[in-house]
């Protein structure tokens, strides 16, 4: 039944979807991507050469895009795409790196179900974006016994 190749990530968060072309998706593949996203929490899809139109079209296949309130969209045609660029001579912290955060989870209204990132140039490893799973942390956490005290387990 599965038409897409999925490989678990090595850090217990997410999975890689392999050998897929996001510019040419049928509804079955879109549903499989959404199922993988819901199952693994985050998915990584490498080797895509997407222009703004194909990137936004893929986003619309996955869900309803929303405008990010803290950044200006790319332009009128692509208001859902925000460019976050780190230049070699930048000295300040990069966008979002000064705190642990969940993208757009703070929005009261019009909160998106998913957040998409597209890296153009990614350093070896994963760059400075680290993904974590509160769900996985809860699964791995064992309830303390009454004599342990809550703080001794944290």
């Amino acid at each position: 039944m599965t038409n897409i190749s999925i490989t678990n990530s090595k850090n217990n968060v997410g999975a890689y979807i392999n050998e897929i072309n996001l510019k040419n998706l049928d509804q079955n593949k879109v549903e499989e991507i959404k199922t993988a996203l819901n199952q693994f929490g985050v998915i990584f899809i490498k080797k895509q050469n997407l222009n703004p139109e194909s990137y936004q079209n893929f986003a619309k296949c996955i869900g309803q895009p929303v405008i990010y309130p803290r950044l200006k969209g790319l332009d009128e045609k692509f208001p859902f795409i925000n460019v976050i660029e780190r230049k070699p001579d930048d000295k300040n912290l990069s966008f979002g790196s000064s705190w642990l955060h969940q993208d757009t989870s703070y929005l009261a209204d019009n909160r998106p179900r998913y957040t998409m990132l597209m890296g153009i140039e990614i350093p070896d490893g994963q760059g400075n974006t680290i993904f974590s799973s509160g769900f996985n942390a809860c699964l791995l956490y064992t309830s303390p016994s009454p004599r342990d005290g809550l703080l001794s387990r944290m």
Side-chain angles (χ1 to χ4, degrees), residues 106-120:
Y106 57 86
L107 295 176
D109 298 319
N110 209 19
R111 184 180 307 136
R113 181 169 175 91
Y114 308 110
T115 297
M116 293 175 47
L117 301 173
M118 180 172 71
I120 304 296

Side-chain angles (χ1 to χ4, degrees), residues 12 26 30 58 81 89 108 128 141 145 152:
N12 292 326
D26 60 29
V30 169
F58 172 63
I81 298 176
D89 59 341
N128 66 357
Y141 178 76
S145 69
S152 67

Side-chain angles (χ1 to χ4, degrees), residues 75-94:
D75 59 30
E76 285 185 21
K77 188 174 179 185
F78 305 109
F80 308 112
I81 298 176
N82 305 108
V83 176
I84 301 170
E85 182 178 20
R86 183 91 175 140
K87 297 178 181 158
D89 59 341
D90 286 345
K91 303 294 183 219
N92 296 326
L93 293 171
S94 60

Side-chain angles (χ1 to χ4, degrees), residues 6-74:
I6 299 173
T7 306
N8 287 337
S9 174
K10 294 177 183 171
N11 65 0
N12 292 326
V13 177
Y16 291 89
I17 295 182
N18 311 299
E19 300 173 22
I20 192 166
N21 181 352
L22 297 181
K23 293 179 188 175
N24 186 21
L25 294 175
D26 60 29
Q27 191 58 39
N28 287 338
K29 284 198 170 117
V30 169
E31 291 305 318
E32 289 183 67
I33 290 169
K34 289 165 107 174
T35 298
L37 187 51
N38 290 328
Q39 178 182 351
F40 295 101
V42 63
I43 56 173
F44 307 96
I45 306 172
K46 293 185 171 186
K47 299 181 181 174
Q48 302 295 311
N49 187 15
L50 303 177
N51 61 25
E53 185 170 11
S54 54
Y55 184 69
Q56 189 166 278
N57 287 342
F58 172 63
K60 288 178 179 179
C61 287
I62 299 301
Q64 175 58 51
V66 300
I67 293 174
Y68 187 65
R70 295 180 181 231
L71 296 172
K72 183 179 177 192
L74 187 60

